[in-house]
Amino acid sequence: MNLDPNALSGVASSGANEGASKPTDAEWVQGTRCNSEGHGIQWIAPSPGIGSAAPAAGWAGNGAHPPAQPLRLLTINIHKGYNAFNRRHVLHELREAVRALGSDLVFLQEVEGGADAAQYEFLADTLWPEHAYGRNAVAGGQDHGNAVLSRLPVLRSRNLDVSLPGAEPRGLLHCVLLCRGSGSEPSTELHVMCVHHGLSEAHRRHQLARLCQTVLSEVPADAPLVVAGDFNDWRQRADVLLAPSGLREVFRSALGQHARSFPSRWPLLRLDRIYVRGVVAARPLLMPRLPWSRLSDHAPLAAEIDLP
């Protein structure tokens, strides 16, 4: 695989083709080099034809045969519906961009709740009939937190408070989804967790320890698991701290480095992650830079997983 992992990002460069065709070498992100077939990462175009992209490189999980239909995941810190520097409210544009990708599961951070005009319900619209929300903080009479939008039935969910006393409130949203088996195969449960960790190193260590503890105590060893969100892990300490839980990060496992995701206009820091455990295979997906660089201060990350 002719790929420079040091330049890896979850989004393509600003000159990327916004159509359904595969980009050329020059259109991959930030000088990342790919061979002429685009091996290494899968290109996602914001169009109905996204499912026709060539398979991406990934890593095998338990060695079982993958199902016919993989699950597509998307995670993004939506910055409460504002673009970078809070210059413009872009929630309507964000909804169209999220809808165009056709993801099965969407992990949202910094999303506003509330009984009257919850942003996660607006984004879910009619495409994601199931959703769960975990309120983390209230400011100016408006709460915000993490949310999961799902095409799979949500069997149960709960929001764990992983804050330290006196620190900014943080939560871990844990959902259990129903994956119906095909034919005579039994249904299985998929565990998903949406996180947004703190800016302080001490706070992140505490939150990663709580995450690891939650995985080990609440998720069966043979159950598939996805943990995604904004880890704020600019010092790249999370993998070591999460190792006892068996979680593996999709981009790093496949490509050798975490994806750059912040700031969205020219990603430099590797803050956002997609971790998995108990899946058959996982493949990172490359996103086009536009329109995402105009919709939040974080770039989104996307992946496909095959379940047992």
Side-chain angles (χ1 to χ4, degrees):
M1 178 168 55
N2 184 20
L3 179 69
D4 179 7
N6 293 320
L8 177 66
S9 168
V11 295
S13 66
S14 57
N17 184 350
E18 296 183 53
S21 60
K22 191 189 309 179
T24 64
D25 290 351
E27 291 167 339
W28 294 105
V29 63
Q30 296 184 27
T32 298
R33 295 186 299 277
C34 224
N35 62 25
S36 60
E37 295 301 317
H39 294 320
I41 331 179
Q42 182 171 343
W43 168 254
I44 299 182
S47 76
I50 56 177
S52 60
W59 58 272
N62 59 20
H65 295 290
Q69 185 64 39
L71 284 180
R72 179 162 287 178
L73 318 173
L74 175 73
T75 180
I76 181 172
N77 181 326
I78 72 165
H79 200 48
K80 301 177 186 176
Y82 286 88
N83 67 349
F85 306 110
N86 297 322
R87 290 174 176 170
R88 191 163 58 92
H89 194 257
V90 293
L91 194 63
H92 287 78
E93 297 160 67
L94 182 65
R95 182 174 70 171
E96 294 309 308
V98 172
R99 285 170 60 92
L101 291 178
S103 300
D104 300 292
L105 298 174
V106 181
F107 298 76
L108 302 173
Q109 305 89 53
E110 284 194 39
V111 58
E112 292 184 347
D116 297 328
Q119 290 181 339
Y120 62 90
E121 291 183 339
F122 176 78
L123 293 172
D125 195 30
T126 58
L127 285 187
W128 293 276
E130 303 272 340
H131 44 71
Y133 172 66
R135 184 177 68 177
N136 294 338
V138 180
Q142 178 64 59
D143 61 271
H144 68 272
N146 302 324
V148 171
L149 314 182
S150 175
R151 285 180 171 167
L152 303 175
V154 178
L155 297 178
R156 55 191 182 274
S157 67
R158 73 175 183 133
N159 195 46
L160 295 158
D161 185 357
V162 295
S163 311
L164 284 172
E168 183 178 2
R170 300 287 177 173
L172 186 163
L173 179 61
H174 180 190
C175 306
V176 181
L177 313 180
L178 178 65
C179 298
R180 294 189 173 91
S182 59
S184 61
E185 295 180 357
S187 297
T188 59
E189 291 185 350
L190 168 65
H191 289 250
V192 301
M193 299 181 184
C194 185
V195 306
H196 184 192
H197 288 170
L199 299 175
S200 162
E201 176 75 12
H203 297 173
R204 289 196 300 275
R205 291 182 69 89
H206 167 78
Q207 290 150 10
L208 288 166
R210 289 291 306 276
L211 171 58
C212 193
Q213 179 186 32
T214 301
V215 169
L216 292 173
S217 63
E218 298 188 14
V219 182
D222 59 349
L225 167 67
V226 178
V227 181
D230 178 2
F231 282 75
N232 272 317
D233 184 33
W234 61 275
R235 301 184 73 176
Q236 301 192 67
R237 304 282 177 83
D239 287 12
V240 172
L241 297 174
L242 292 176
S245 69
L247 287 166
R248 298 182 65 181
E249 209 280 322
V250 173
F251 280 80
R252 187 174 184 183
S253 295
L255 302 168
Q257 288 282 2
H258 296 301
R260 302 180 193 268
S261 60
F262 184 89
S264 59
R265 286 187 176 272
W266 194 255
L268 298 173
L269 300 180
R270 309 173 195 272
L271 303 186
D272 299 81
R273 308 283 165 79
I274 300 176
Y275 288 91
V276 295
R277 191 187 78 175
V279 302
V280 175
R283 295 171 294 278
L285 305 176
L286 186 68
M287 305 286 284
R289 183 177 294 275
L290 294 176
W292 300 101
S293 62
R294 300 171 180 170
L295 300 180
S296 176
D297 56 346
H298 283 249
L301 298 187
E304 279 187 349
I305 61 171
D306 298 327
L307 297 178

